[in-house]
Amino acid sequence: MASVFLQACRRESTPYTPVWLMRQAGRYIPRYREIRNRLSFLEMCKNVEVATEVTLLPVRLFRVDAAIVFADILLLLEPLDVGLTFLEGEGPRVRKTVRSGEDVARLREFDVAGELSYVFEILRNVRASLPPDVALIGFAGAPFTVASYLVEGRGSRLHLETKEFLYREPDAWHDLLACLGRLTVRYLEGQIEAGAQAVQLFDSWAGCLAPDDYREFVLPHTRSVVEALGTRVPVILFSTGTAGLLRELRETGAQVIGLDWRLDLARAWDVLGAQVAVQGNLDPAVLLASPERIRDAAARLLRSLAGRRGHIFNLGHGVLPATPVEHVRLLVETVRRWRPT
């Protein structure tokens, strides 16, 4: 059976709008919480059996059109020996920050196939367990967002350390992103070989940059990753806060652009152009509302696109932990049943 999700990625005609949700395997699911209560997040990511089960949970619960491998965008950093940890309630931390050319020079590229073999094994297991019409998505952090964690040492609201570094030592900055870009390509190529039928680049923090800075310090490296992956599978680029960067996002060459809820999806698509598919972009907070509100919001978004080819329904960010399971089921059913009139 053909994957409706992959058809939409290629901007082909589909019988309905495909739907999957970022963080669709997360704390809002009771079984996930059971597992998380006995294992740390990193242990979950590295336990092949557990990560396989967690990846498959939303497919079995909601019949979404794609599964995304259970992992984290920062797993690529652990083999760099920068002191990566995940602290309960605080998120990731990097102990050995990278804030100078000397720090960049100390980074040593590693054997991705060996160090991250568990991710590839999870992908193979999931692909063997999925129905043929449910696509499997691999992913990685885009070079800028991964670099920002390396520089800041944690998530940041203003990214001042990152901006200071790229302004102060632009050559070292480009060396850092080039290094991360090469590792990302190897990582995603391994995921594709292991069964990923599409890959998503998460550039969560790109929206902190002015357009000129994005074009100078980020775009060449993101575009290099996309170009290196070629056309074997669709590449989805997701970012947040990037309403002012739509033309730059298009220039990355990604076949699918994922957008957050802070902009009108139809208007954004007009700027991006018909040559790309678009993913998004319901506000995740809508899933905390009443069933009627959820149905109305989903239908309104779908109507706004007037049945355009190439739309993949998703949230504008990940499912929130407080989301009722039944509300996710309602959303998925609403999208799958909707037809343009």
Side-chain angles (χ1 to χ4, degrees):
M1 297 176 64
S3 162
V4 176
F5 165 82
L6 292 175
Q7 289 174 329
C9 288
R10 298 189 294 263
R11 292 174 286 112
E12 298 171 0
S13 179
T14 58
Y16 62 88
T17 301
V19 53
W20 72 279
L21 308 175
M22 288 178 284
R23 292 185 189 159
Q24 63 188 12
R27 286 184 180 273
Y28 74 101
I29 299 176
R31 176 57 180 158
Y32 180 102
R33 292 198 299 270
E34 290 175 14
I35 298 170
R36 186 67 179 82
N37 285 338
R38 59 183 173 84
L39 296 175
S40 71
F41 178 72
L42 200 53
E43 286 172 334
M44 287 180 67
C45 290
K46 292 188 171 186
N47 185 311
V48 173
E49 182 179 348
V50 166
T52 298
E53 178 187 354
V54 171
T55 301
L56 292 169
L57 278 174
V59 178
R60 292 167 176 167
L61 285 170
F62 314 120
R63 199 58 169 85
V64 288
D65 292 292
I68 186 165
V69 64
F70 182 76
D72 189 86
I73 64 169
L74 298 185
L75 295 181
L76 194 69
L77 293 185
E78 193 179 28
L80 287 175
D81 190 29
V82 293
L84 175 67
T85 58
F86 290 87
L87 302 178
E88 187 64 31
E90 297 184 22
R93 294 286 186 271
V94 173
R95 182 167 50 84
K96 302 176 185 177
T97 54
V98 175
R99 296 180 178 176
S100 69
E102 291 78 9
D103 293 338
V104 174
R106 282 195 290 269
L107 296 177
R108 292 289 178 266
E109 296 182 34
F110 56 87
D111 174 18
V112 173
E115 295 288 348
L116 296 169
S117 60
Y118 60 92
V119 177
F120 308 139
E121 187 175 354
I122 295 162
L123 282 156
R124 285 190 289 269
N125 286 356
V126 172
R127 183 63 267 170
S129 301
L130 282 175
D133 61 329
V134 177
L136 177 56
I137 304 171
F139 74 88
F144 172 78
T145 290
V146 175
S148 74
Y149 278 103
L150 269 178
V151 176
E152 303 284 342
R154 62 178 67 193
S156 172
R157 190 166 55 88
L158 299 176
H159 299 89
L160 296 181
E161 296 283 0
T162 301
K163 292 181 181 181
E164 180 186 355
F165 178 25
L166 63 85
Y167 292 143
R168 175 172 38 84
E169 296 193 54
D171 290 342
W173 170 264
H174 284 295
D175 287 345
L176 173 60
L177 262 67
C179 170
L180 293 174
R182 290 189 294 270
L183 291 170
T184 300
V185 169
R186 291 177 214 149
Y187 186 35
L188 290 176
E189 285 178 337
Q191 293 187 41
I192 294 166
E193 291 170 7
Q197 296 160 289
V199 293
Q200 178 155 308
L201 276 172
F202 284 88
D203 213 356
S204 307
W205 309 132
C208 76
L209 295 172
D212 284 348
D213 287 340
Y214 182 90
R215 184 174 290 276
E216 178 179 355
F217 296 110
V218 178
L219 178 58
H221 302 284
T222 305
R223 185 162 51 206
S224 291
V225 171
V226 175
E227 290 176 350
L229 294 173
T231 58
R232 286 181 294 169
V233 303
V235 177
I236 307 165
L237 176 63
F238 172 75
S239 56
T240 64
T242 48
L245 299 175
L246 295 177
R247 290 179 176 83
E248 286 75 15
L249 297 178
R250 180 181 61 201
E251 291 181 35
T252 64
Q255 295 94 330
V256 185
I257 304 296
L259 299 169
D260 71 13
W261 71 94
R262 297 173 181 89
L263 40 67
D264 182 286
L265 199 61
R267 293 177 190 168
W269 206 343
D270 289 340
V271 176
L272 289 167
Q275 72 273 25
V276 298
V278 168
Q279 180 174 280
N281 69 338
L282 189 71
D283 187 339
V286 171
L287 290 177
L288 304 178
S290 67
E292 293 74 21
R293 185 76 179 187
I294 294 168
R295 281 192 290 264
D296 289 348
R300 184 167 58 250
L301 193 158
L302 289 162
R303 280 196 303 270
S304 75
L305 299 176
R308 297 192 208 188
R309 293 183 182 182
H311 177 219
I312 300 157
F313 195 101
N314 208 308
L315 302 178
H317 209 278
V319 179
L320 298 170
T323 303
V325 170
E326 288 306 314
H327 286 191
V328 175
R329 181 174 287 109
L330 172 65
L331 176 66
V332 173
E333 291 174 352
T334 298
V335 174
R336 289 180 67 109
R337 291 172 180 168
W338 188 86
R339 300 292 184 274
T341 55

